[in-house]
Amino acid sequence: MTTRELDAAGVTDPELRTAYLRSRELNARHGRTYFLATRLLTPDRRPAVHALYGFARWADDIVDALDGAPDDERARALDRLGDDLARTLAHDGPGPREAHPVARALADTARRHAIDHGLFTDFLASMRSDLTVGSYATYDDLRGYMHGSAAVIGLQMLPVLGTVTPREEAAPHAAELGVAFQLTNFLRDVGEDLDRGRVYVPEDLLAAHGVDRGRLRHCRDTGRTDGHITAALREFASLTRAAYRRAAPGIAMLSPVSRPCIRTAFVLYGGILDAVAADGYAVLHRRSVVPRRRRALVAADGLVRVAAARLADRRSPGAPVQAAPADRAYQEVA
């Protein structure tokens, strides 16, 4: 299957094919929800999405998986990755052999789809801030961080997915979907992030419910529940659902053959919010997951939509497609 995807995408250089496969492995291992959704894309689009995810995952792992290493060591590792990307972007071919595979795959994807290089610069800047910034005073402050850590991911994806409206019209919704996904991860991972020294729930939101970092730490360490913390997390979930509502109209602006992929990711990530609520917002003590049966049903629905979209695409090649209204599933999640 991976050979077919690379052939469909026109990736012929053996070293580049290996680089793309490395990114795909990262996606399959770490991004189960996103990888499942990516399987619903046409084969020619999948390698580019794997490259985008693989680079982001590798940078995130430098920040998180090297916990215990000095901050300056992790900063140097991020700088090396950024240097690899810059040198590879400046290279006309597959890029320097010594460059990291995820940087080579990303640079090739950026060239093929004319992705703005500034989006990668902004992303790496947010990753570096995770080494020194452990909290955010307000939601606006958090949004500033998420521009580079999440919104740019949605913007990187747009040229790969394709749109039926002018790209600038779809861009704000794509950026907001990246934010919605990351807010979902922040809510799900409150306990794990606290162990890394980070609290992404804004300080003023916590304070409004009588919560501070010490209270979070106490409940994490003792396994106790706290009504004040639950109320704060419920409000954070409401902010997250609002981001999904702002993102939803953009799905109908995508190429019809790409919509099932993003719709599936939208529904599955939104389902994490439902799982957190069903668990009583106990995210300090365990990670909430979407039930396997629910995941299977959403994936099956995506497959049906893929078949219909591809059939329509074959029947009317080159015909203009109007953006469809967002369906009820988006509203149910949001």
Side-chain angles (χ1 to χ4, degrees), residues 171-229:
H173 302 290
E176 195 67 18
L177 187 57
V179 167
F181 287 169
Q182 183 159 71
L183 287 171
T184 302
N185 287 340
F186 287 161
L187 179 62
R188 181 196 62 193
D189 299 339
V190 167
E192 296 174 19
D193 287 331
L194 183 63
D195 291 342
R196 297 184 179 109
R198 302 186 209 120
V199 177
Y200 291 105
V201 182
E203 291 176 342
D204 62 347
L205 187 157
L206 291 172
H209 295 277
V211 179
D212 58 15
R213 183 186 289 256
R215 193 165 194 154
L216 293 172
R217 186 73 262 169
H218 174 73
C219 288
R220 174 72 167 170
D221 292 342
T222 62
R224 295 181 59 183
T225 58
D226 185 307
H228 295 277
I229 293 174

Side-chain angles (χ1 to χ4, degrees), residues 187-191 220 233 276 281-286 288:
L187 179 62
R188 181 196 62 193
D189 299 339
V190 167
R220 174 72 167 170
L233 296 177
V276 168
Y281 295 91
V283 290
L284 277 170
H285 313 303
R286 58 182 175 272
S288 300

Side-chain angles (χ1 to χ4, degrees), residues 32-33 36 267-279 287-299:
R32 291 185 302 168
T33 297
L36 174 63
V267 174
L268 288 176
Y269 267 92
I272 295 173
L273 296 179
D274 297 331
V276 168
D279 280 349
R287 172 180 281 211
S288 300
V289 297
V290 178
R292 184 172 298 178
R293 183 172 181 274
R294 171 65 171 158
R295 289 167 57 86
L297 288 172
V298 173

Side-chain angles (χ1 to χ4, degrees), residues 28-238:
R29 187 184 317 132
H30 296 288
R32 291 185 302 168
T33 297
Y34 205 66
F35 183 75
L36 174 63
T38 302
R39 301 296 300 152
L40 301 176
L41 285 174
T42 54
D44 60 304
R45 287 173 167 86
R46 293 175 201 163
V49 175
H50 293 320
L52 293 171
Y53 181 92
F55 183 85
R57 179 74 257 176
W58 192 258
D60 194 56
D61 281 352
I62 289 174
V63 173
D64 289 341
L66 292 179
D67 278 352
D71 286 347
D72 59 348
E73 181 178 328
R74 287 181 283 171
R76 286 195 297 271
L78 279 177
D79 288 342
R80 286 194 298 271
L81 183 63
D83 290 344
D84 278 356
L85 179 61
R87 287 187 290 112
T88 308
L89 285 170
H91 200 282
D92 290 334
R97 289 189 174 184
E98 65 275 15
H100 196 285
V102 298
R104 300 180 74 188
L106 182 67
D108 184 67
T109 287
R111 282 192 291 268
R112 290 173 185 269
H113 297 279
I115 299 173
D116 179 5
H117 296 179
L119 298 175
F120 308 130
T121 302
D122 290 349
F123 170 75
L124 287 172
S126 282
M127 291 300 97
R128 289 187 184 94
S129 75
D130 269 333
L131 299 177
T132 56
V133 179
S135 62
Y136 294 87
T138 68
Y139 185 57
D140 285 343
D141 292 332
L142 181 64
R143 294 278 307 198
Y145 162 79
M146 288 191 296
H147 164 73
S149 64
V152 299
I153 304 298
L155 297 174
Q156 292 167 21
M157 287 281 291
L158 265 189
V160 178
L161 299 173
T163 62
V164 295
T165 63
R167 191 180 298 172
E168 59 269 19
E169 183 179 343
H173 302 290
E176 195 67 18
L177 187 57
V179 167
F181 287 169
Q182 183 159 71
L183 287 171
T184 302
N185 287 340
F186 287 161
L187 179 62
R188 181 196 62 193
D189 299 339
V190 167
E192 296 174 19
D193 287 331
L194 183 63
D195 291 342
R196 297 184 179 109
R198 302 186 209 120
V199 177
Y200 291 105
V201 182
E203 291 176 342
D204 62 347
L205 187 157
L206 291 172
H209 295 277
V211 179
D212 58 15
R213 183 186 289 256
R215 193 165 194 154
L216 293 172
R217 186 73 262 169
H218 174 73
C219 288
R220 174 72 167 170
D221 292 342
T222 62
R224 295 181 59 183
T225 58
D226 185 307
H228 295 277
I229 293 174
T230 299
L233 296 177
R234 187 179 291 114
E235 183 178 344
F236 191 68
S238 295

